[in-house]
Amino acid sequence: MILSCSNICKSFGENDILKQVSFHIEDHEKAAIVGINGAGKSTLLKVLIGKLAADDGVVTWAKGASIGYLAQHQDLEGAETIYDALLEVKKPVIQMEARIRSLELEMKSASGDELEAKLSEYSRLNHEFEMADGYSYQSEITGVLKGLGFTEDEFSKPITALSGGQKTRVSLGKLLLTKPDILLLDEPTNNLDIYHATNMMKIVRRLCDELGKTVILVLHEINYAAFYSDYICAFKDGKIARFGTVEEVMTKENLSQIYQVDFEILTIAGKPLSIYY
């Protein structure tokens, strides 16, 4: 088990946002948190990462697990291009590389104790550089960007010229470069049209399957949850109304009760998908 939530409660003033929320996620699972606006979905993610403190209850992560969080609103200030944005993640490696090159020049004119000290630092930095995949960081960035659907011609595209969906993909790329064990994605399809939202979900599912990531997504669209997740956690009024496999949650009765509209369920490509009216 990589995540366990036990009786999580959170209030803002007199508004009870989360009410005794309990569930657990296993390693490598993909779980979608769904529900109407104001149900507590994004608040739960912020409690999970410690951005908000729960009023009561316990959040337990697997020991040593690293967490990557993608917020709804992307902050890419400071980067001029798509490639530059991802290069920022590798800044410590780039600085290490620059110091190694500097030491190589300094050692040419050093001698005695000074030379010995520089050789020691040079050896240490080379080892750290290799352990940090310093010799492959550029190809790693290229691979991540291509995996997110960017062409090499787009690598130099200015950040200021990007759409909301492109900025989300860039931010996801930065997150993937940090190599977290768990990805928490808050509305990755927010403000995207059907084409770009569907492509985003395909990219997330494919990359996370290939990289073996555990993923927890907050989604508005129940059909994206059904098609690209393994489990669905459906919220209503700050409580978990249903939690289970896609097939267990995606029933006419469950969805009608959660969303208060009429549903019909169809099966497409082996997945239960909903029609609501």
Side-chain angles (χ1 to χ4, degrees):
M1 184 167 60
I2 201 163
L3 167 64
S4 173
C5 291
S6 178
N7 298 317
I8 302 301
C9 299
K10 181 64 184 177
S11 300
F12 294 102
E14 296 181 356
N15 296 320
D16 296 328
I17 306 300
L18 300 176
K19 307 171 186 177
Q20 295 186 323
V21 174
S22 298
F23 66 94
H24 69 270
I25 303 291
E26 300 291 340
D27 200 9
H28 305 309
E29 288 180 349
K30 281 77 178 168
I33 300 173
V34 301
I36 64 173
N37 288 343
K41 306 183 300 294
S42 294
T43 298
L44 176 60
L45 279 198
K46 291 175 182 177
V47 169
L48 294 183
I49 63 170
K51 195 170 184 178
L52 285 176
D55 298 328
D56 199 6
V58 178
V59 175
T60 305
W61 291 98
K63 186 177 180 180
S66 57
I67 304 164
Y69 171 65
L70 183 69
Q72 285 190 36
H73 306 290
Q74 314 309 319
D75 181 10
L76 296 172
E77 291 184 7
E80 293 185 2
T81 68
I82 290 175
Y83 192 87
D84 288 339
L86 269 69
L87 207 58
E88 287 179 352
V89 179
K90 297 296 183 179
K91 189 174 181 179
V93 174
I94 294 169
Q95 290 174 335
M96 202 183 302
E97 184 179 33
R99 179 55 182 159
I100 289 171
R101 300 287 88 84
S102 176
L103 281 168
E104 288 173 346
L105 294 174
E106 292 172 15
M107 288 188 294
K108 291 180 179 179
S109 58
S111 61
D113 292 343
E114 182 186 8
L115 177 58
E116 186 176 341
K118 291 185 183 298
L119 281 169
S120 178
E121 183 184 0
Y122 184 77
S123 177
R124 176 180 58 81
L125 285 177
N126 264 293
H127 175 71
E128 292 177 4
F129 187 72
E130 186 175 355
M131 294 300 293
D133 297 323
Y135 294 105
S136 60
Y137 73 85
Q138 291 178 320
S139 61
E140 185 182 0
I141 291 173
T142 296
V144 167
L145 285 175
K146 287 185 176 180
L148 289 167
F150 291 107
T151 65
E152 289 195 28
D153 289 341
E154 292 176 308
F155 289 4
S156 58
K157 190 172 184 178
I159 293 294
T160 53
L162 300 185
S163 66
Q166 288 173 322
K167 288 180 179 179
T168 299
R169 280 190 285 152
V170 171
S171 295
L172 180 57
K174 293 181 68 174
L175 201 59
L176 289 171
L177 283 177
T178 67
K179 300 179 181 177
D181 300 311
I182 308 106
L183 288 171
L184 273 63
L185 311 180
D186 193 358
E187 294 285 1
T189 61
N190 198 25
N191 297 321
L192 299 184
D193 58 35
I194 292 174
Y195 173 80
H196 289 97
T198 301
N199 277 348
M200 172 62 73
M201 291 306 302
K202 287 178 179 178
I203 287 168
V204 168
R205 180 75 205 208
R206 176 178 53 79
L207 282 176
C208 292
D209 281 344
E210 290 175 359
L211 298 173
K213 303 294 184 186
T214 302
V215 186
I216 302 173
L217 309 99
V218 166
L219 294 169
H220 269 112
E221 175 52 62
I222 186 68
N223 285 331
Y224 287 142
F227 216 81
Y228 298 105
S229 302
D230 303 319
Y231 293 87
I232 295 177
C233 180
F235 265 70
K236 184 180 180 183
D237 299 327
K239 297 180 179 180
I240 296 178
R242 293 289 185 276
F243 183 92
T245 65
V246 171
E247 291 75 18
E248 288 170 340
V249 176
M250 291 286 290
T251 70
K252 176 180 178 178
E253 294 73 22
N254 285 343
L255 298 186
S256 296
Q257 186 268 331
I258 293 164
Y259 289 96
Q260 298 296 298
V261 296
D262 293 323
F263 276 83
E264 295 295 337
I265 304 298
L266 304 176
T267 300
I268 299 177
K271 297 283 188 177
L273 299 182
S274 64
I275 297 175
Y276 38 91
Y277 53 94

